[in-house]
Amino acid sequence: GAMYDIGFQNLARALASGMPVKVMVLDTQVYSNTGGQACTSGYIGQVADMSPYGKAWKGKEEIRKEVSLIGIAHRTTYVLQGTISNTTHLLEGYIDGLNSRRPALFNIYAVCPPEHGVGDDIAFRQSKMAVESRAYPLMKYDPDAGETIEECIDLDGNPSLDDDWPTYTIDYQDDKGEACKLEVPMTFADFAVTEGRFRKQFRMAPPETWNDDMVPMNEFLEMDEDDREGKFPYIWGVDSKNRLMRIICAQEIAKSCEERRQFWRQLKGVAGEMNKVDVDALVDQAKVDMANRLSSTLLSMAASGNADALAGSISANGSNGSAAAAGNNGAAAEDYEPVWIETPECTACDECIEINPKIFAYNDEKKAIITDPKGGQFKDIVKAAEKCTAACIHPGTPWNATEKDLEKFVKRAAKFQ
């Protein structure tokens, strides 16, 4: 509250000064020191003092102010937005911000148990869910990293960067008492339902009440305004007997989900993520298409019995065809060694999964495996190897020779090969 509202002008002036003043904001989404009044860092639908829940007013109505983006707009300031659940991201941001000869703004998600309505011992878990649900995206901004905002802003550490919502798995029992799993999107509603400040915005719907007017929240958000009429968005949960339940969400929660999704898209737009083109993927696809067209032509010629033409075509196009079939530059393919894991040694510490869930995942035995060795940057792989408590991740070699600071990470990877 103090830095977002009553002290905001002083914060802005300090950042604009260019002096190396370091400011840490503990973002609790309320005025925690003076009774938990609502402030501009809260979410739509959040219930607090001065944003009550009743017939006329159902929690906070205004969208959240994004102080980190305002800090970036000063163009003078190192900005870190982080949480205690992403320790590596947090510590690296602190070090870089403290070393910068500029102002630094550390905007840190801070769980306030009495105001958020959660237990004293689950701040780490709630912080993790805040990141995964897009309630509190991770970001860094270093004005010295380049000239454009795209060059200076860094969204690394956020799960499923290309998607609106990451996914998670619900473990439940079916009607026969057998263990089942359900993969669902982690929307803002899936986070909000775990906290007391949003509790009045949800209602449990047992299976006997289910009907076609109930729509999963992620699908509801994709519907046109007119099509939403008469529909009830819900998320999945389990009851005390671990049976699957639908949890109906109030209109305010749907608005909050929509607002958080909009901000996530806006943030990616500012960072240039919405317009990035994977050149390597396009080249690979072009090669595959060329190989397919060539194969079709050769098969057609062979079927027609034109052996001479077939031999001539193979002679003329053989080198291109083999390169296309390879799908990559020959030298690069021979030199590239993908990351690998000694899976039986995994201790399920979650470090690699949190760093990049597109590269790393758990198998059914909750042992880490590689799902896509090219699912992220080489630096993600190296950081995962450094954090791995079992030292069972072997980074291999980079697949993208144009990655920033590659030489530094290759050196750091050497001891894990």
Side-chain angles (χ1 to χ4, degrees):
M3 290 295 97
Y4 274 73
D5 292 345
I6 196 169
F8 177 66
Q9 65 178 2
N10 301 314
L11 173 65
R13 185 66 190 92
L15 301 185
S17 72
M19 301 296 290
V21 178
K22 316 300 180 180
V23 181
M24 176 181 285
V25 179
L26 300 179
D27 187 358
T28 64
Q29 288 88 51
V30 289
Y31 281 88
S32 295
N33 286 346
T34 57
Q37 297 91 345
C39 75
T40 54
S41 72
Y43 304 107
I44 295 174
Q46 177 176 325
V47 178
D49 288 352
M50 301 179 70
S51 62
Y53 184 96
K55 290 183 178 180
W57 200 357
K58 300 186 184 301
K60 187 172 179 286
E61 296 180 341
E62 304 89 0
I63 66 172
R64 171 181 155 80
K65 180 194 291 182
E66 298 296 342
V67 156
S68 295
L69 276 189
I70 296 173
I72 291 172
H74 284 74
R75 298 180 297 139
T76 58
T77 304
Y78 180 93
V79 178
L80 165 69
Q81 179 161 301
T83 77
I84 62 171
S85 62
N86 298 78
T87 311
T88 301
H89 181 270
L90 194 64
L91 294 179
E92 289 179 348
Y94 284 155
I95 293 169
D96 291 343
L98 292 172
N99 285 336
S100 173
R101 297 308 299 162
R102 292 175 172 273
L105 171 63
F106 305 120
N107 193 32
I108 311 302
Y109 184 78
V111 176
C112 184
E115 301 302 337
H116 293 189
V118 300
D120 292 344
D121 59 344
I122 59 172
F124 186 94
R125 189 194 75 178
Q126 296 305 113
S127 298
K128 185 173 185 292
M129 292 181 67
V131 173
E132 293 176 349
S133 66
R134 312 304 189 201
Y136 215 82
L138 304 177
M139 72 174 90
K140 295 176 186 173
Y141 177 81
D142 182 358
D144 296 317
E147 289 192 353
T148 67
I149 290 181
E150 290 183 18
E151 292 173 309
C152 297
I153 196 169
D154 183 355
L155 300 184
D156 284 354
N158 290 290
S160 304
L161 196 60
D162 297 331
D163 305 320
D164 285 334
W165 312 109
T167 58
Y168 74 104
T169 301
I170 294 178
D171 295 313
Y172 70 98
Q173 289 185 347
D174 63 13
D175 295 337
K176 298 178 181 179
E178 296 182 358
C180 300
K181 295 180 181 293
L182 178 67
E183 189 173 87
V184 295
M186 172 64 84
T187 68
F188 177 82
D190 293 82
F191 159 69
V193 75
T194 67
E195 300 201 340
R197 54 178 167 163
F198 301 103
R199 188 167 294 131
K200 294 182 179 180
Q201 310 287 7
F202 297 96
R203 294 290 183 272
M204 297 289 286
E208 59 269 20
T209 66
W210 295 359
N211 58 68
D212 293 339
D213 289 331
M214 298 179 182
V215 183
M217 176 62 79
N218 62 309
E219 296 180 14
F220 182 83
L221 296 175
E222 298 295 335
M223 299 171 68
D224 293 333
E225 198 69 36
D226 293 340
D227 295 335
R228 295 181 183 182
E229 187 72 29
K231 302 297 182 182
F232 301 93
Y234 71 86
I235 57 175
W236 290 106
V238 294
D239 63 12
S240 58
K241 297 181 180 179
N242 210 35
R243 297 175 303 179
L244 205 58
M245 300 289 285
R246 289 180 179 179
I247 305 173
I248 304 299
C249 307
Q251 180 181 4
E252 286 71 24
I253 293 297
K255 288 181 179 178
S256 209
C257 287
E258 199 163 38
E259 186 272 326
R260 287 293 84 194
R261 185 186 64 174
Q262 180 192 49
F263 175 64
W264 173 242
R265 291 177 176 178
Q266 290 172 340
L267 189 60
K268 290 202 297 179
V270 170
E273 295 290 341
M274 300 289 279
N275 302 316
K276 282 187 177 178
V277 176
D278 190 338
V279 177
D280 292 333
L282 292 176
V283 171
D284 289 348
Q285 186 60 48
K287 290 178 179 178
V288 171
D289 292 342
M290 182 189 299
N292 289 337
R293 287 196 297 271
L294 180 61
S295 298
S296 298
T297 301
L298 296 179
L299 288 172
S300 176
M301 295 173 70
S304 67
N306 192 344
D308 291 338
L310 176 62
S313 177
I314 293 174
S315 175
N317 297 299
S319 58
N320 288 338
S322 60
N328 280 308
N329 179 285
E334 291 175 3
D335 295 338
Y336 171 60
E337 179 186 341
V339 56
W340 62 284
I341 297 179
E342 296 175 76
T343 295
E345 302 299 320
C346 174
T347 59
C349 66
D350 294 341
E351 295 288 358
C352 62
I353 309 294
E354 290 182 3
I355 289 173
N356 193 316
K358 288 195 171 184
I359 300 176
F360 305 98
Y362 285 133
N363 60 18
D364 292 338
E365 299 175 351
K366 204 172 182 187
K367 299 285 186 179
I369 59 173
I370 302 297
T371 56
D372 182 2
K374 297 183 179 180
Q377 299 183 71
F378 187 64
K379 75 172 182 179
D380 293 340
I381 296 172
V382 176
K383 288 182 178 180
E386 292 172 337
K387 294 285 289 181
C388 178
T389 57
C392 62
I393 298 176
H394 305 280
T397 59
W399 64 272
N400 180 6
T402 64
E403 183 178 326
K404 184 180 177 182
D405 297 328
L406 193 58
E407 183 178 350
K408 176 176 71 174
F409 287 103
V410 168
K411 290 180 179 178
R412 285 166 58 174
K415 61 182 177 182
F416 302 104
Q417 303 294 11

